[in-house]
Amino acid sequence: MAETGFKKWIITITVITASLLELIDTTIVNVALPHIQGNLGATLEDVAWVVTGYAVANVIILPMSGWLGGRFGRKNYFMTSIIVFTIVSFLCGNAHSMDELVLFRILQGIAGGGLISTAQAILLETWPREQIGTATALFGLGAVVGPTVGPTIGGWIVENYSWPWIFYVNIPVGALAAFCTYTFVRETPKDAKGKPVDWWGIVLLAIAVGSLQTVLEKGESEDWFAKPYILILTISAVLGTILFIWREMSTEHPIVNFGILRHRSFAVGMFTSFILGFGLYGSVFVFPVFCQNLLGFNAQQTGELLFPGGLCTIVMMPFIGKMLNKGIPAQFMATAGMFLFYVFTHMLSGSTLATGEKDVLVPLLIRGVGMALLFVPLTTLAMADLKGPELGQGSGLNNMMRQLGGSFGIATLTTLIHIRQGVHRNNLLVNINPYNNPFNDRLHTLTQGFMAKGKSIMDATHMAYQAIEGMVTRQTLLLTYDDAYWISGLVMLFSIPLLYLQPFKKLKAVADSH
């Protein structure tokens, strides 16, 4: 039964706040990794597990969150997840070694996996069915804005305080969210209580999803299948997935109820959520690297650049929800969102070495509008036909697909950057030869310039070649990042036909059918 008045809004604010904790922590740590590495005396490979451990644990729990909420009660599971997340946040900030920090981040990821999907399920039950568009829009504030503002918040904290504070800031927010959950959120039936636990399902899920996420997180840095453990994990991911699906389809009490895939909107929505994750996390990954490696911005400046786009998304979300409630087809709005995302990537794919903050502002604002037009309609389409226990199961699977889409996006773009960097460098080096007049002119000009500063002709020539090498490297990186933007946009553009595989429904009709 839906809530009304003050209670509806306080529950809404509580679950959005709790989901923001989890979502911000997916990206807030990234800007602090160099500081953590120096403080704890770790290698770059070791410190990367601070991100990987959290992501792997998170994506394992997401599809199980619906079952856990059903077994222990959605309110109890949600509140416990908040409390554990808050306690472990303190332990992360207080870690004295890299092993401790990675362990606590894994625990934080396990608790965080119970926040986002359960928050969405609670929110959809709190609001009337005919206002599902508004409820999804409010949830989208955290889901889209969290990963975007994470680097902004993390950059500011690291620049002004120290890295442990990126974890300590969770403590008061988590404590308040736990209190509000205990006070205001209504208990739900414990549907799975007393039923047998599908232990094989849990083990196979952990093997399948954990292996896949680890491969996606570490594959590029480990040169993919050149490392035996990446090959082994790939095989275990494939076999684990096949066995897990077979197990869940054949047992009476599955951990993940694949029966909800009978709803065509949800089945197709799994793919569109994957594409959304690809665009959301992929673009948040490429843009900071582009700004810091090529344009010379620091972490805080990069985060501040992303903030106006996030603000634009916040402003747009309520209007998107109202348009959905009035019966405007979600497919039309999602189409506009995918096209705007393509416009954003197309504009940035034309970047030059002279690109500045003003040049990227408009594309980022367009991305902000596009993400609002994408998240709310896509999530509404996927979840509109689900009810009761299916809400928790569907929310977990949908959020898992968005997270996996993000991991695939980052892994794909990282590999693309690596490959295209070699291609562009080879193409540019063709011009570095004594038979190319523009090259000879530039080399002569640079050599004369260094000689004018008192260098010998030998030293001046060497320095001129070094300067040209620097130019080639920067141009190579520029062309590579331009390719990454272009590919991201094409993936989104070519995914538009998927939207029209989902049936057109008005939210009022959906509400009446329930």
Side-chain angles (χ1 to χ4, degrees):
M1 188 177 74
E3 303 286 358
T4 57
F6 171 77
K7 192 173 181 181
K8 178 178 77 171
W9 282 104
I10 196 69
I11 292 173
T12 299
I13 293 170
T14 299
V15 298
I16 290 173
T17 302
S19 62
L20 262 175
L21 281 176
E22 194 274 336
L23 289 158
I24 287 177
D25 267 55
T26 60
T27 55
I28 193 173
V29 149
N30 294 1
V31 296
L33 292 181
H35 297 265
I36 295 173
Q37 181 184 354
N39 189 254
L40 297 181
T43 65
L44 184 61
E45 183 177 292
D46 290 337
V47 81
W49 282 101
V50 174
V51 176
T52 303
Y54 181 90
V56 170
N58 197 265
V59 83
I60 289 173
I61 292 296
L62 275 172
M64 291 175 53
S65 58
W67 175 80
L68 289 166
R71 188 168 189 85
F72 300 107
R74 200 168 287 157
K75 173 182 176 177
N76 293 336
Y77 177 53
F78 187 61
M79 186 169 64
T80 301
S81 296
I82 296 173
I83 292 170
V84 172
F85 190 91
T86 305
I87 293 171
V88 176
S89 292
F90 169 77
L91 295 175
C92 285
N94 201 46
H96 295 95
S97 70
M98 185 54 59
D99 290 340
E100 283 185 20
L101 182 57
V102 171
L103 172 63
F104 295 143
R105 279 287 283 174
I106 290 172
L107 294 176
Q108 194 182 40
I110 291 172
L115 291 179
I116 182 169
S117 297
T118 316
Q120 187 176 15
I122 292 172
L123 196 60
L124 292 175
E125 285 191 332
T126 300
W127 283 70
R129 295 296 295 183
E130 64 270 17
Q131 295 180 345
I132 187 175
T134 302
T136 305
L138 292 168
F139 177 75
L141 291 178
V144 175
V145 175
T148 304
V149 302
T152 309
I153 298 171
W156 185 84
I157 290 174
V158 169
E159 292 290 332
N160 293 279
Y161 296 95
S162 57
W163 69 263
W165 282 98
I166 65 177
F167 299 111
Y168 292 152
V169 293
N170 293 335
I171 296 172
V173 181
L176 181 60
F179 171 77
C180 291
T181 300
Y182 177 78
T183 307
F184 297 105
V185 174
R186 187 175 66 246
E187 288 280 6
T188 55
K190 299 177 182 179
D191 303 304
K193 187 177 181 181
K195 295 179 181 178
V197 177
D198 180 20
W199 292 110
W200 275 111
I202 292 174
V203 170
L204 290 171
L205 174 64
I207 291 172
V209 179
S211 298
L212 176 60
Q213 184 71 15
T214 305
V215 169
L216 293 173
E217 292 278 336
K218 304 294 290 183
E220 172 59 26
S221 63
E222 299 285 18
D223 197 19
W224 293 106
F225 304 117
K227 287 291 179 72
Y229 89 90
I230 294 293
L231 180 61
I232 293 170
L233 286 177
T234 303
I235 294 170
S236 68
V238 174
L239 293 178
T241 300
I242 294 170
L243 291 172
F244 174 69
I245 293 173
W246 171 79
R247 172 70 185 180
E248 298 309 280
M249 296 292 284
S250 60
T251 185
E252 289 185 25
H253 305 288
I255 292 293
V256 176
N257 178 20
F258 286 113
I260 59 177
L261 292 173
R262 70 184 183 278
H263 301 292
R264 182 153 58 102
S265 285
F266 181 75
V268 178
M270 295 268 285
F271 290 100
T272 53
S273 292
F274 183 89
I275 299 301
L276 174 63
F278 190 105
L280 173 62
Y281 290 98
S283 59
V284 171
F285 162 74
V286 173
F287 183 76
V289 176
F290 166 68
C291 287
Q292 294 178 50
N293 287 359
L294 201 58
L295 303 184
F297 299 160
N298 61 33
Q300 186 171 340
Q301 285 175 308
T302 305
E304 288 170 355
L305 280 174
L306 289 167
F307 187 75
L311 191 62
C312 195
T313 303
I314 292 173
V315 172
M316 287 294 298
M317 284 286 191
F319 294 105
I320 305 298
K322 287 180 180 178
M323 286 191 285
L324 282 170
N325 292 339
K326 288 180 179 179
I328 297 175
Q331 286 89 339
F332 293 169
M333 285 189 279
T335 298
M338 286 186 170
F339 180 74
L340 286 178
F341 186 89
Y342 171 75
V343 172
F344 150 73
T345 57
H346 179 73
M347 292 177 73
L348 285 187
S349 69
S351 299
T352 68
L353 293 175
T355 295
E357 294 183 18
K358 293 181 180 178
D359 300 307
V360 300
L361 178 60
V362 172
L364 288 173
L365 291 176
I366 291 172
R367 176 188 178 275
V369 176
M371 280 299 162
L373 283 164
L374 276 172
F375 184 88
V376 182
L378 291 182
T379 306
T380 302
L381 280 169
M383 303 295 290
D385 289 341
L386 307 184
K387 58 181 178 179
E390 290 182 342
L391 279 175
Q393 289 277 0
S395 178
L397 283 172
N398 196 51
N399 282 293
M400 181 197 73
M401 288 302 288
R402 189 175 65 251
Q403 294 278 67
L404 283 177
S407 298
F408 265 97
I410 292 172
T412 301
L413 292 175
T414 303
T415 304
L416 174 75
I417 288 170
H418 178 75
I419 294 171
R420 295 297 293 170
Q421 195 168 333
V423 172
H424 287 305
R425 179 174 174 81
N426 288 337
N427 290 339
L428 290 173
L429 288 177
V430 170
N431 300 308
I432 308 300
N433 66 76
Y435 305 105
N436 186 349
N437 290 331
F439 163 71
N440 288 328
D441 293 341
R442 177 60 62 89
L443 180 65
H444 178 74
T445 301
L446 289 170
T447 304
Q448 292 299 317
F450 288 124
M451 288 177 65
K453 294 178 181 179
K455 302 295 181 182
S456 67
I457 186 169
M458 184 177 294
D459 289 341
T461 302
H462 179 67
M463 292 173 71
Y465 273 110
Q466 284 185 319
I468 290 174
E469 168 63 21
M471 295 175 194
V472 170
T473 300
R474 285 170 59 80
Q475 288 289 344
T476 298
L477 287 173
L478 175 66
L479 293 170
T480 302
Y481 291 132
D482 286 351
D483 285 349
Y485 288 127
W486 182 68
I487 293 295
S488 299
L490 287 182
V491 168
M492 196 69 76
L493 196 64
F494 289 149
S495 300
I496 290 177
L498 282 175
L499 300 173
Y500 296 91
L501 296 177
Q502 294 172 295
F504 284 82
K505 288 186 178 182
K506 289 189 176 181
L507 295 182
K508 181 63 178 173
V510 172
D512 292 341
S513 69
H514 291 297

